[in-house]
Amino acid sequence: MSFREEIKTICEYWEDMTSWNTCIFDMEARALSLHLCMVVTKGVKLASRIMDSAALRLDKQGEIYLHTTKQTLNMYVPIFVKLAEDTNHKNFNNKSVFSLLGALRGVAAISHILVKDALESVEHVEYGSLNYSLLVQDTDDSWHEFEQNINNLEHKFRAVLNDNSKIYELLRPTMEEAIALTVLFISQMVTRHERVLGYIPNTKGRRATKASDEGGPPGSKMGFGST
């Protein structure tokens, strides 16, 4: 697994938080802090999953993509670690929420780029230009939908910045929805990336069955374009 040290560091912050000497009135705040720690841990694990997917590409471009992917992920993984550190030191604030959303968006964007790059290495005629066009369009549509959902969370949170009670009320639901959206999107992109790699020589992708082989109409989502 990639980013083991970062995950270990976050776990150490988690352990520190569980040992806080808090009164009963602070228990909810500690629970929220631990929840944030869980969210950022998941963020790092998603980055690791993307690295694993990038490593499946073994053609002549594979090493370049792997290096570039890790280099780009290293822009976001430290943000997750810093958020855990800030939470442990009770320095988590409104700006931290936007940092979290930005980091999740960034990691998700990398998974989208992996699929796009892999698609550029595949010949259209391998499975039909119609299926290819549908897959490209669906991949882009999925990204735009994800990005819009994250933007909506940002806008909702920004709208209550002058009301501390509403900030606290929105904090946990915002984190929960953001990580759920990110897990779903990255899972979709990683699965799609591995299927696309199945059409590139010297890779470890899982080649999908064509729609026509399963009795589906040309361009149907039963074949290559399914997720």
Side-chain angles (χ1 to χ4, degrees), residues 3-40:
F3 306 114
R4 289 181 183 273
E5 288 302 314
E6 288 83 356
I7 293 173
K8 180 181 177 182
T9 299
I10 295 174
C11 287
E12 290 171 354
Y13 290 134
W14 170 284
E15 291 173 359
D16 285 346
M17 287 181 231
T18 58
S19 64
W20 284 352
N21 292 320
T22 56
C23 67
I24 189 171
F25 300 106
D26 294 328
M27 293 297 289
E28 187 173 351
R30 182 170 71 171
L32 188 60
S33 297
L34 291 171
H35 184 73
L36 172 71
C37 216
M38 180 191 71
V39 169
V40 296

Side-chain angles (χ1 to χ4, degrees), residues 106-118:
V107 171
I110 296 168
S111 69
H112 174 242
I113 291 170
L114 280 183
V115 177
K116 296 280 286 184
D117 286 343

Side-chain angles (χ1 to χ4, degrees), residues 11 33 98 138 157 165 171:
C11 287
S33 297
F98 296 112
D138 187 61
F157 196 80
S165 63
L171 186 54

Side-chain angles (χ1 to χ4, degrees), residues 57 65 112-123 132 192-194 196-197 199-200:
R57 183 160 184 171
Y65 282 121
H112 174 242
I113 291 170
L114 280 183
V115 177
K116 296 280 286 184
D117 286 343
L119 281 168
E120 291 178 0
S121 300
V122 178
E123 293 292 337
Y132 181 88
R192 185 165 294 183
H193 180 245
E194 293 176 6
V196 173
L197 290 182
Y199 289 79
I200 302 175

Side-chain angles (χ1 to χ4, degrees), residues 32 35 153 167-178:
L32 188 60
H35 184 73
L153 290 177
I167 288 175
Y168 193 78
E169 182 181 327
L170 270 183
L171 186 54
R172 185 164 186 148
T174 298
M175 291 191 296
E176 288 178 346
E177 186 171 354

